[in-house]
Amino acid sequence: MSKPTTAELERIASQVRRDIVRMVHGASSGHPGGSLGCTDFLVALYFYAMKRKEGFDPNGIDEDLFFLSNGHISPVWYSVLARSGYFETSELATFRQIDSRVQGHPATEEGLPGIRIASGSLGQGLSVACGAAQVKKLNGESTLVYALMGDGELEEGQVWEAAMYAAHHKIDNIIATVDYNGQQIDGPTDEVMSLGDLKAKWEAFGWTVIESQGNDMASIVKSLDEAKELTGQGKPILNLMTTEMGFGIDFMVGTHKWHGIAPNDEQLADALSQLEETLGDY
Amino acid sequence: MTKFTYTDKKDTRSGFGAGLAELGRTNPDVVALCADLVGSLKMQEFIKENPDRFFQVGIAEANMMGLAAGMTIGGKIPFTGTFANFSTGRVYDQIRQSIAYSDKNVKICASHAGLTLGEDGATHQILEDIGMMKMLPNMTVINPCDFNQTKAATIAIADHHGPVYLRFGRPAVPIFTPADQKFEIGKALHLIEGSDVTVFATGHLVWEAIEAEAVLAQEGISVEVINIHTIKPLDTEAILASVAKTGCVVTAEEHQMNGGLGDSVAQTLALNHPAPLEMVAVNDSFGESGKPAELMTKYGIDADNIVKAVRRVIARK
């Protein structure tokens, strides 16, 4: 099967954004801002970059793996997983409802296909991804491990423990991405806790750093190709990806306000009017 | 009547090291991680024989728990090694989310638990770890009593699918269980039959209970001694059967009174078969520096204190 074009990926992303706002509206809670910002990346990852098997193998042997560390952007991941065929899109309607597998934050306990570990308490995902990547090497596998972290999450010390470990152990089959939107709950990261020069920091920790524009599909595709080329060279790879929270919906974009609140009926209608329905709503 | 004696003393952490080494030879899926305490955890033999299956993490316990969780994806069985304090309290959230809630097949192996760590003092003498771990859904909690049982438990947990907390210690304690024993998770072991009182003991306190039984037998008190090596899942059937016979209970452990074995037994009795209960445990206190035996006496968790607790509980029958 040929790889989808940038235009085709953008059409999928439009549907995923519709799913996100509808899910969060339906639950009257959830995190639309970061989800919308990371939509283009997750669409490119699942529909373009990752080597995946049919069905869901919890151990992920001989396929690329993805770990979401900033679990609160679960809506985008759930939508991409459903649209990739891991489970029925109709199940997205149960987001954050009682008796659902589509929990507020990603969980394995409920058995949702496509998810291998719980996340929500920040800072733990890179460690898990490093462990999975190291086992792939031990098993003699050539497939890759991807991880996504939020930028605010880098304030957790465990992230830097994992960064140090990955470089020391030459885990060069991991491609970690930082969603660099400059926002966290209490305001801009520059005000809450300065992140400083992230490129220099990751490089100082022994990683190869590439940069990308996370709301430009062509840039994302290029960065994923570039990152893959850099694997197997003795160093872990970090993609510093600039995004805007709420991208794709004019009244949500570029503000922290939509980090963790749901649109009302009127706002939902406004949002949906800005996003083409391309694959059919669930 | 079984009489327990011993000819040798050894630290339970060495039982862990011996069990891990055997797993290295018999189970290719077992991998080990350590946070800069290889010698303290007695992991050298495993590392020497399986260098590719050992991962040095450095002083970064939170990362170690995440790494271990990730290593289960791909089919490995990770054994993490550090002190009990840094295996639990320091990384509770990592264990909760990435291991217990995610139901990952990680074996958290914790040495230097409790007061008997000794001279290092209270910062390292964790007495809350059993409580923290038993409260986590999906977690199995094991606290073996001597070298042989720790070795057997280490080997047994590799075949149990799911997260396990395995607790052991530093001081040399009598080896009194057989070297060829089979370790059955969740199955209490009757050591001494008795009819007047049951002592449920765990970890290093099992030997103290055996010593207490000998003293009490001379007074004409018939003590049943049961080794609760698995705190969770608790063998409630064995506990209730024994209490139905003896009518009163003493629990003994190297742990805080809050949250330990005593709590679990008390809950079982209250819900099923209320009976007088005394707890031999540390009573809401931190420890301090000292020799292990001195500390056990000062904080009330030795054979003498079990003898006194038995006299008290029988008086309440």
Side-chain angles (χ1 to χ4, degrees), chain A residues 29-70:
Chain A
S29 74
H31 297 80
S35 294
L36 292 162
C38 288
T39 296
D40 303 302
F41 172 73
L42 275 171
V43 167
L45 193 65
Y46 274 78
F47 289 89
Y48 174 84
M50 279 171 70
K51 179 188 171 192
R52 295 189 284 118
K53 292 193 291 198
E54 282 295 311
F56 177 56
D57 165 12
N59 281 339
I61 306 290
D62 288 328
E63 63 178 329
D64 292 344
L65 303 178
F66 170 68
F67 294 96
L68 177 68
S69 189
N70 47 329

Side-chain angles (χ1 to χ4, degrees), chain A residues 127-185:
Chain A
S127 299
V128 175
C130 285
Q134 208 156 24
V135 163
K136 281 198 177 292
K137 283 174 155 302
L138 192 57
N139 288 343
E141 274 189 52
S142 59
T143 47
L144 302 174
V145 172
Y146 293 90
L148 178 63
M149 295 171 276
D151 52 358
E153 188 179 12
L154 303 183
E155 292 158 18
E156 295 280 6
Q158 186 182 347
V159 172
W160 303 98
E161 293 180 4
M164 205 184 298
Y165 180 91
H168 178 86
H169 286 273
K170 298 185 169 53
I171 303 178
D172 58 3
N173 56 342
I174 189 168
I175 299 170
T177 296
V178 171
D179 174 17
Y180 194 14
N181 62 25
Q183 307 275 346
Q184 57 191 112
I185 293 180

Side-chain angles (χ1 to χ4, degrees), chain A residues 58-59 61 65 67 107-110 116-121 124 127-128 130-132 134-135 138-139 158 161-162 165 169, chain B residues 31 52-53 55-57 60-63 66-67 69-76 93-94 97-98 100-104 138:
Chain A
N59 281 339
I61 306 290
L65 303 178
F67 294 96
T108 55
E109 186 93 328
E110 284 72 21
R116 293 185 172 82
I117 195 145
S119 59
S121 176
Q124 301 184 32
S127 299
V128 175
C130 285
Q134 208 156 24
V135 163
L138 192 57
N139 288 343
Q158 186 182 347
E161 293 180 4
Y165 180 91
H169 286 273
Chain B
V31 297
D52 58 325
R53 286 197 269 149
F55 303 96
Q56 175 60 262
V57 181
E61 296 82 6
N63 185 40
L67 288 165
M71 285 179 183
T72 65
I73 299 160
K76 298 298 177 220
D93 185 44
Q94 283 77 14
Q97 172 173 293
S98 294
Y101 182 41
S102 298
D103 202 12
K104 293 297 176 217
N138 293 334

Side-chain angles (χ1 to χ4, degrees), chain B residues 13-76:
Chain B
R13 62 179 168 154
S14 287
F16 165 70
L20 187 66
E22 186 163 324
L23 284 173
R25 295 170 205 127
T26 56
N27 191 332
D29 289 332
V30 167
V31 297
L33 303 92
C34 187
D36 195 35
L37 286 169
V38 161
S40 296
L41 273 286
K42 304 290 181 188
M43 297 170 94
Q44 299 98 323
E45 204 173 336
F46 177 92
I47 297 168
K48 191 177 159 205
E49 295 175 12
N50 313 276
D52 58 325
R53 286 197 269 149
F54 172 72
F55 303 96
Q56 175 60 262
V57 181
I59 309 163
E61 296 82 6
N63 185 40
M64 179 164 72
M65 294 305 163
L67 288 165
M71 285 179 183
T72 65
I73 299 160
K76 298 298 177 220

